[in-house]
Amino acid sequence: MLIVVVWPTLRPTGYSTKNWQEAYLAFVKLIHKCEVMQGTTRPASFITEDCEASETDDILRDALKDGHTILHLNYKGLQQLPPLLLDKSFDKVKKLFLKRNRLTTLPASIGFLQSLTVLYLPSNNISSLPNEICELKQLECLDVSQNCLLSLPSNVGQLPNLEKLHLSSNALTELPEEIGQLQSLKVLIVTNNQLENLPETICRCMKLNTLHVDKNRLHRIPHELNKLRDLKELSLMGNLLTHIPMLLVANSSLTCVNITNNPYLVTLLGNSHQFGAIHSVYSNISGCGFRDPLDLGVKPRQIFKINNCRAVLPPQMKLIWPATDGIQQPYPLLELSLRACFKFKKLLNIQQLPDPILRVLDCPVAVCAHADCGVPIYTSSFAIAEQIKGPVNKVTLFHRKQCVPLLILRLLDQSFQL
Ligand SMILES: [Zn+2]
């Protein structure tokens, strides 16, 4: 008796992708029990999408025939790289896109693809990379985000042209020291892993301009990061940091530093739990120890009337300050006395001041952003947060209400009816 079972190649409406996959898996189980059908199914080739292995081979043959150097093999349900691709005849391929397949590993023969500059592998199930990946000397961009990498090959430093390394959403517990050998590296994204440390050697990647290490378990960051003169964006949200090196704050190239949601962050003045959000906001650092400072502001109305003119406050712009006069009890005395100490530092007999006070005096959390002001801010300030890029906010601090630019103040005054 012949039974023909046909699985539709398109997902019918009414099925979610998940339901459809579950149904398909049940189907595969069923037909694998039937000897007649064994060997005729290709579960990997069309479980999520509708491309069969023969279609992939067709794409490859066409690419070879037409001399294409960019290969798009995203969403093909591939469980392994097509053997055809690993033939040396593909050594002219420059860019290989393999997003959202079912790859669990890469073969050593990946090293044959000598011309690759871009290798794009997000959303697979890859748990390790072969050492041979480092034979890809032309590689400029490697994206292995959303896989299950436990480690990187120790020879990862041998990619002289690698500029972008995307490793977010894996299970990495450490980065190899050799990462410091990546002399072309500009962008390193390691968000959402299990890192407890960053290797000190990372400070040797002199071209690094973007470093995202959000949602890891970092207790500290290398002090020498301040030597990275090209570093512009440093995102450290959701870690276990206790300190931010002051030298880093002084790095003038850094335009975005986000330290939001580091519950153990201790500022020079104490634990952020005690001192509130603003105290851990440095001049070009946004975020705070335990919650997003934007959560602290009352939601302002977005439209204001001034002198019969309607003004719209940018939706990202919010004011952060305590409800009274910008200085929250019981800190004003501390703030004011610290500012006074700073102002009269030269007149004071400095040796008589206790050490902690001296240290604090030399390291204000910020200085007033008003053009000619520059008064140090130690505990309380007027802060205006502006969202400048995605989740990263720029916070501008002023030492007193009068220093907040008039237009913003009027807009916000009306909003808060101060
Ligand atoms: Zn000021």
Side-chain angles (χ1 to χ4, degrees):
M1 185 172 67
L2 175 68
I3 301 172
V4 179
V5 185
V6 180
W7 186 257
T9 55
L10 288 174
R11 177 162 55 94
T13 49
Y15 282 83
S16 71
T17 308
K18 192 166 174 278
N19 288 344
W20 185 238
Q21 282 181 21
E22 279 168 4
Y24 178 72
L25 287 174
F27 167 76
V28 170
K29 242 187 204 168
L30 182 76
I31 58 173
H32 271 245
K33 283 183 185 160
C34 170
E35 282 181 19
V36 179
M37 298 292 287
Q38 281 210 6
T40 64
T41 56
R42 278 185 294 266
S45 63
F46 59 105
I47 183 159
T48 52
E49 295 296 326
D50 313 305
C51 177
E52 297 190 24
S54 61
E55 186 191 326
T56 309
D57 284 352
D58 288 346
I59 294 173
L60 292 175
R61 279 191 207 95
D62 287 350
L64 203 56
K65 190 168 67 172
D66 299 339
H68 291 164
T69 56
I70 301 174
L71 287 180
H72 289 276
L73 297 173
N74 302 320
Y75 303 99
K76 300 292 183 210
L78 301 173
Q79 279 185 317
Q80 57 181 33
L81 290 192
L84 187 59
L85 176 65
L86 300 164
D87 188 282
K88 285 202 173 176
S89 46
F90 280 95
D91 65 356
K92 297 286 185 291
V93 170
K94 289 202 163 95
K95 299 182 181 181
L96 179 55
F97 296 89
L98 285 157
K99 181 180 180 174
R100 206 169 281 266
N101 281 286
R102 302 175 75 206
L103 305 174
T104 52
T105 182
L106 294 177
S109 45
I110 188 86
F112 291 164
L113 302 174
Q114 282 290 305
S115 302
L116 271 193
T117 59
V118 175
L119 182 54
Y120 192 68
L121 297 157
S123 303
N124 280 281
N125 301 318
I126 299 170
S127 57
S128 67
L129 294 170
N131 284 333
E132 287 75 7
I133 205 157
C134 300
E135 289 167 14
L136 304 174
K137 300 297 180 199
Q138 307 300 318
L139 203 59
E140 292 168 12
C141 176
L142 175 61
D143 190 333
V144 207
S145 50
Q146 297 182 60
N147 277 277
C148 31
L149 286 181
L150 297 166
S151 62
L152 291 180
S154 61
N155 60 351
V156 70
Q158 295 166 25
L159 291 165
N161 290 300
L162 194 67
E163 293 181 7
K164 295 177 183 171
L165 182 54
H166 293 265
L167 299 166
S168 58
S169 299
N170 278 285
L172 296 170
T173 53
E174 58 178 12
L175 295 176
E177 299 272 318
E178 289 77 4
I179 208 158
Q181 296 163 10
L182 294 171
Q183 286 306 297
S184 300
L185 195 65
K186 291 179 179 168
V187 177
L188 176 60
I189 312 288
V190 210
T191 296
N192 200 18
N193 277 279
Q194 310 285 326
L195 301 182
E196 292 186 4
N197 278 301
L198 285 176
E200 296 281 339
T201 52
I202 205 159
C203 307
R204 294 185 201 148
C205 300
M206 293 310 286
K207 291 192 176 163
L208 201 62
N209 64 40
T210 303
L211 177 58
H212 290 194
V213 204
D214 305 314
K215 296 187 192 168
N216 277 278
R217 297 157 183 261
L218 297 183
H219 290 269
R220 54 181 295 279
I221 51 173
H223 273 66
E224 301 215 321
L225 273 183
N226 71 301
K227 290 189 176 165
L228 297 178
R229 288 297 158 194
D230 287 344
L231 192 61
K232 289 190 172 63
E233 218 178 286
L234 176 62
S235 200
L236 301 162
M237 292 189 286
N239 279 286
L240 305 168
L241 295 175
T242 53
H243 291 88
I244 300 290
M246 284 307 285
L247 278 172
L248 185 65
V249 181
N251 183 341
S252 58
S253 74
L254 269 171
T255 52
C256 277
V257 181
N258 199 324
I259 52 169
T260 295
N261 194 14
N262 277 274
Y264 304 108
L265 198 66
V266 178
T267 68
L268 288 166
L269 291 168
N271 192 297
S272 58
H273 284 292
Q274 292 169 303
F275 283 88
I278 292 164
H279 317 114
S280 54
V281 177
Y282 296 79
S283 42
N284 59 355
I285 287 188
S286 70
C288 61
F290 60 102
R291 57 196 286 208
D292 193 319
L294 294 180
D295 289 344
L296 299 180
V298 182
K299 276 198 174 126
R301 289 201 310 272
Q302 299 300 331
I303 299 173
F304 304 89
K305 268 190 168 178
I306 295 177
N307 300 333
N308 295 326
C309 290
R310 249 163 62 99
V312 180
L313 191 66
Q316 305 90 340
M317 195 177 269
K318 293 179 184 179
L319 186 70
I320 307 161
W321 71 42
T324 54
D325 195 25
I327 298 178
Q328 197 172 29
Q329 295 293 344
Y331 306 119
L333 205 56
L334 175 62
E335 175 68 30
L336 296 176
S337 48
L338 285 171
R339 285 183 194 175
C341 282
F342 180 84
K343 193 169 176 184
F344 299 110
K345 206 168 120 184
K346 282 185 189 144
L347 302 176
L348 293 169
N349 184 349
I350 212 89
Q351 305 303 331
Q352 288 175 1
L353 289 172
D355 257 6
I357 299 275
L358 287 176
R359 266 185 276 128
V360 166
L361 284 183
D362 285 334
C363 304
V365 294
V367 293
C368 179
H370 187 270
D372 302 314
C373 185
V375 168
I377 295 166
Y378 294 98
T379 63
S380 297
S381 67
F382 294 89
I384 290 170
E386 191 177 355
Q387 195 168 355
I388 51 175
K389 188 184 167 195
V392 181
N393 301 309
K394 170 97 177 159
V395 175
T396 312
L397 301 172
F398 302 94
H399 93 282
R400 56 177 182 173
K401 200 167 144 189
Q402 288 91 324
C403 286
V404 180
L406 196 59
L407 177 68
I408 294 174
L409 193 60
R410 285 166 77 177
L411 291 170
L412 293 166
D413 268 357
Q414 292 199 4
S415 127
F416 288 94
Q417 284 147 14
L418 291 169

